[in-house]
Amino acid sequence: MHLPPRPGLPADGTRPARRRIHRIALLAGAAATGFGALYVTGLLASGDDVPAGTRVRGVDIGGLSRSQAQERLDQQIGRTWPERVKVRIGGSTATIDARAAGFSLDSAQTVARAARAGADPLTVIGRLLTSGDRDIEPVIRADEAKTLAVLTKTATQYDSTPRNGAITFEQGKPVPVEHRNGQSLDVRGAAEALSSAVLSRQAGPVALPVRQREPAVDAAEVNRAMTQFARPAMSAPVTVTVAGRQIPISPVTVGKHLTMKPDETNRLIPELDGKALLQDPAVARPLAPVTGKVADAKLRLDGDRVVASDAKTGREVTAKGLEQAVLPLLTRTGAARTAALAAKETRPKLTRDAVERLGIKEKMSTFTVNFERAPYRTTNIGRAAELINGSVVLPGKTWSLNRTVGERTKANGFVDGIIIQNDQYTKAPGGGVSTVATTVFNALFFAGVKPLEHGAHSFYIERYPEGREATVVWGSLDLKFNNDSGNAIYIQASATDTSVTVSFLGTKRYDSVEAVTGPRTNVKQPGSRPGAAKNCLPQTPLEGFDVNVDRVFRSDGKEVKRETFKTHYVPRDEVTCGPETADRPVNDSRSAASPRER
């Protein structure tokens, strides 16, 4: 059943307000349908390409595929951008290469950003209605490790160490040195500031954070040290006294060797270089007459009589002693700037009075051995003579060559020389010392003192007197004598390149001591044998024999005592070698059992 419309309503029965809402909805739907169509049309028009008109820092990538756009950005921007960045570090400015610091263009993300911006509905529809260009900000990639590395290197150039306030001394005047602050770059904070500036394209120098470093010694401490020490120290000379001699030291001289350094509480304290001050000519020259090494009396012969020089007392001033004497004087005034300088005294062992008192009056004996020149002999014989010279042997005491000369080592001044061991030449430090032993043995023989230990070479060596020669081996064979003369004996020893001489000075117990050499007995002829294939030892032949030597003591023209020294020499076989060893020495052989020093 159809009802008639209600009074006041339209013929269709709807209300006016409801019709308006319906009309608006219809219009909106139509608009949305049209907007969507335009958006779809815009997307279809651009496809997967970067929207036309897209630029990145002036480079047009519009209309390109993503890969093409990325390649263009890499070629035209990526190789040169980001640019170098100006920075300020404290009061200095610098430029940092942003690329080296780890900042680079991320072309893939930049193209993706451009694509996202191009997909915006308003942008898509706008492209259908307008041809305007769009600028896209590039995406920057940051490598924190590289950023920190570059900033750490930069810090080494711009960091500064704080300088303490100090005091120097120039030409006898104290000079204050102003303190200075230091700085150090806050590397991590600088990395954040640099990254922010690069990403935001900040204009102008980028302020990188720094830490200020204050010195430990400030102006107040310098002023205190100037007043309390430095000015008084340079106000006048100081004087030290040694052995009754006054030695003034000027402020100029003191100041050259004086410094002030902070202690553990950062208080400036003085330091005096006593060693350098002691060596300074202004101090060393006036000290020289009253200091120096101890010197024993030197003995020489006037005919056969002994003449002794004056001995010298040793007096040594140490660097530490000079420091301890001078430093306290520097803050004093007037006469108080003078003090005694401690000196260590060393008395000589042998003085002129002691020479006379010990009975060292005349030459008791002297003997010389000549030898062929060789560098190792010159060194080793000379060194042994040097160590023996000046030996004083008191009455009843024993003298030992090994104890006096010491082990024949390089540290003791000896070099390698030729020795013989087990029928082979070899090298060892000390070759040649047996020449000195033979010389000493003959000196003690004719001085008439008592030998306690000595040994001859195994076979005879032509340059030595037969039956009156000696060899020594460290640790197994020594040359010793007892001073039974009743007075002290002074041993003089000297050497040249071809000879060594030893003299005994003292008081003769006998008018003369003579050597009487007997005939050779028990003579044995040498054999002949070839040398070893390697390291051959060539030798000339020499007979072996026994010989007796009598030592005859005479006083008032009469024989008062006679001693016999018996020596046995083995034959020295002839040893022949091949051409390669023909230049070996042949006349210095001695022992086939143990090494002997020649």
Side-chain angles (χ1 to χ4, degrees), residues 50 56 59 61 65-79 81-82 99 104-116 136-141:
V50 176
V56 177
V59 176
I61 60 173
S65 68
R66 292 197 179 197
S67 61
Q68 290 173 331
Q70 184 174 338
E71 182 178 359
R72 179 173 292 183
L73 289 178
D74 285 337
Q75 289 179 347
Q76 298 189 26
I77 299 180
R79 295 177 180 177
W81 191 86
R99 291 179 59 79
S104 60
L105 173 69
D106 191 333
S107 57
Q109 289 299 320
T110 301
V111 171
R113 173 184 286 181
R116 286 195 300 273
I136 300 299
E137 282 297 315
V139 177
I140 298 175
R141 183 189 302 114

Side-chain angles (χ1 to χ4, degrees), residues 236-308:
V238 296
T239 302
V240 294
T241 59
V242 184
R245 183 185 183 98
Q246 289 193 337
I247 300 173
I249 307 175
S250 71
V252 172
T253 300
V254 172
K256 288 192 296 184
H257 312 292
L258 183 65
T259 56
M260 299 198 75
K261 296 182 179 179
D263 62 9
E264 64 276 4
T265 64
N266 297 317
R267 182 181 175 88
L268 288 176
I269 59 172
E271 287 189 9
L272 182 63
D273 187 344
K275 182 178 180 181
L277 181 61
L278 190 60
Q279 295 173 346
D280 192 302
V283 176
R285 278 196 295 264
L287 274 177
V290 291
T291 59
K293 294 182 179 180
V294 63
D296 287 336
K298 301 296 183 183
L299 306 187
R300 62 179 180 85
L301 289 172
D302 182 5
D304 283 346
R305 304 299 300 173
V306 171
V307 178

Side-chain angles (χ1 to χ4, degrees), residues 398-573:
T398 296
W399 183 89
S400 158
L401 186 145
N402 278 344
R403 184 177 65 239
T404 303
V405 172
E407 187 173 0
R408 272 68 85 185
T409 63
K410 292 181 180 180
N412 194 23
F414 293 91
V415 298
D416 286 352
I418 297 175
I419 66 170
I420 296 175
Q421 183 176 17
N422 298 325
D423 283 339
Q424 289 187 359
Y425 283 96
T426 186
K427 283 189 174 183
V433 174
S434 285
T435 300
V436 180
T438 292
T439 310
V440 173
F441 177 78
N442 279 274
L444 73 87
F445 181 97
F446 291 108
V449 295
K450 181 180 180 181
L452 297 179
E453 179 181 348
H454 84 285
H457 294 88
S458 296
F459 40 78
Y460 180 54
I461 298 173
E462 292 90 324
R463 69 169 177 264
Y464 299 142
E466 57 188 67
R468 295 200 333 266
E469 44 91 10
T471 185
V472 287
V473 179
W474 177 258
S476 61
L477 180 60
D478 201 356
L479 173 63
K480 296 179 181 179
F481 73 87
N482 175 262
N483 179 12
D484 60 350
S485 70
N487 292 283
I489 292 175
Y490 181 91
I491 302 177
Q492 283 185 330
S494 61
T496 69
D497 288 348
T498 57
S499 68
V500 57
T501 300
V502 175
S503 301
F504 278 33
L505 310 182
T507 299
K508 290 182 178 181
R509 187 175 178 181
Y510 305 96
D511 291 344
S512 66
V513 178
E514 301 172 359
V516 178
T517 304
R520 294 181 178 184
T521 61
N522 194 26
V523 177
K524 294 184 178 180
Q525 296 303 315
S528 179
R529 56 187 171 86
K534 186 178 181 181
N535 298 326
C536 179
L537 174 65
Q539 292 179 171
T540 56
L542 187 67
E543 64 186 15
F545 58 92
D546 294 342
V547 65
N548 291 341
V549 177
D550 288 344
R551 181 163 66 159
V552 181
F553 302 83
R554 298 183 184 277
S555 292
D556 298 327
K558 298 179 181 180
E559 180 180 327
V560 295
K561 188 168 66 170
R562 181 181 290 256
E563 296 174 343
T564 301
F565 294 82
K566 298 180 178 182
T567 304
H568 171 69
Y569 294 112
V570 300
R572 187 173 69 203
D573 290 342

